[in-house]
Amino acid sequence: MWELFIRVAAPSSKTMVQSRSGSRISEAERDRRHVRAKRARRDRYWRYRHRFGRRGSPRQLAISLGLAVAAVVLAGLWQWWTSPVGEDRHGPVELCNGRALRSCIIDGDTGRDNGKKWRLISVDAPELEEPACDNERQLALAARSRLQELLAGPYKIRPNGRDDPNGRALVDLQLPDGRDVGKILMAEGLAQRWPNRGNVWCAR
């Protein structure tokens, strides 16, 4: 009798309910579907962690990349906006020969502009005052002559706002066609990039 009462009172696993799709399913089937869905979400989560790890989601990666590109672009625009436009000059420029010349050429990478001593940025020409060998002296004379030739007509002098340890203004010299004087000297073997080591002019 009690066994019959328990069977009648106990909820039947065959009770039908309505699923999300609108079909009629049993409560047991609904529970099984719920468990499978929960397990599938957990599996997707761990696959996602295994694939991306600490790198973050694709959206986060896209945002980070976009911010990096924007930072580079803004830095370039800021440099372009704040870079000195330079001042126009017109040659010919004489060689510094002991006279009180306000604008003259000292050697292949150094000179004076309106009384201010300058040096080409990142350019090193052979030493003329104290050459380490005869080859360096000959190249120093050639570099100075070539620099004077390049500055025989109009050019632009562009200080970068800093001085070297010797108090010389660091400048670029630009020709009307846009060519950089220092790069021309280096391309022709009359100067090298600075800083450097040793003495290439004397094979040391």
Side-chain angles (χ1 to χ4, degrees), residues 96-199:
C96 299
N97 53 12
R99 293 184 296 166
L101 297 174
R102 291 185 58 80
S103 296
C104 58
I105 296 173
I106 298 175
D107 57 22
D109 58 20
T110 314
R112 290 184 180 276
D113 179 71
N114 291 330
K116 175 66 174 178
K117 200 170 184 180
W118 56 260
R119 177 187 171 89
L120 293 177
I121 299 173
S122 303
V123 176
D124 181 32
E127 293 296 330
L128 184 59
E129 291 187 359
E130 297 180 359
C133 63
D134 186 64
N135 184 57
E136 183 174 13
R137 181 178 179 277
Q138 295 298 324
L139 288 173
L141 291 172
R144 185 181 66 173
S145 297
R146 179 57 172 149
L147 179 59
Q148 185 181 27
E149 179 184 342
L150 291 170
L151 303 185
Y155 64 94
K156 189 183 294 290
I157 183 168
R158 304 193 307 175
N160 73 345
R162 295 180 298 167
D163 293 350
D164 72 354
N166 296 319
R168 298 174 295 188
L170 297 173
V171 305
D172 282 327
L173 299 177
Q174 189 180 62
L175 300 180
D177 59 5
R179 291 184 300 162
D180 182 86
V181 170
K183 291 182 179 179
I184 294 175
L185 293 173
M186 287 190 289
E188 295 179 357
L190 299 174
Q192 61 178 335
R193 184 167 294 278
W194 176 262
N196 52 61
R197 294 183 178 180
N199 189 323

Side-chain angles (χ1 to χ4, degrees), residues 3-50:
E3 183 179 355
L4 178 61
F5 175 77
I6 292 174
R7 289 181 180 179
V8 172
S12 173
S13 61
K14 297 295 184 178
T15 303
M16 303 302 290
V17 296
Q18 188 172 1
S19 67
R20 293 183 179 181
S21 61
S23 59
R24 303 283 294 178
I25 59 174
S26 65
E27 289 185 346
E29 178 62 23
R30 181 195 60 185
D31 294 339
R32 284 195 294 270
R33 291 186 181 184
H34 177 73
V35 170
R36 286 198 297 267
K38 187 176 180 180
R39 187 178 302 165
R41 288 195 298 270
R42 183 188 60 191
D43 292 343
R44 284 197 300 270
Y45 169 79
W46 286 112
R47 285 198 300 269
Y48 170 84
R49 287 292 302 270
H50 177 73

Side-chain angles (χ1 to χ4, degrees), residues 42-109:
R42 183 188 60 191
D43 292 343
R44 284 197 300 270
Y45 169 79
W46 286 112
R47 285 198 300 269
Y48 170 84
R49 287 292 302 270
H50 177 73
R51 180 178 179 184
F52 295 104
R54 297 181 179 180
R55 294 178 295 175
S57 66
R59 182 179 179 183
Q60 291 173 335
L61 292 176
I63 293 174
S64 300
L65 181 59
L67 291 176
V69 172
V72 172
V73 172
L74 289 176
L77 291 175
W78 176 256
Q79 183 177 5
W80 172 80
W81 181 262
T82 58
S83 61
V85 296
E87 299 180 11
D88 293 325
R89 298 287 185 267
H90 201 288
V93 184
E94 297 185 43
L95 299 179
C96 299
N97 53 12
R99 293 184 296 166
L101 297 174
R102 291 185 58 80
S103 296
C104 58
I105 296 173
I106 298 175
D107 57 22
D109 58 20

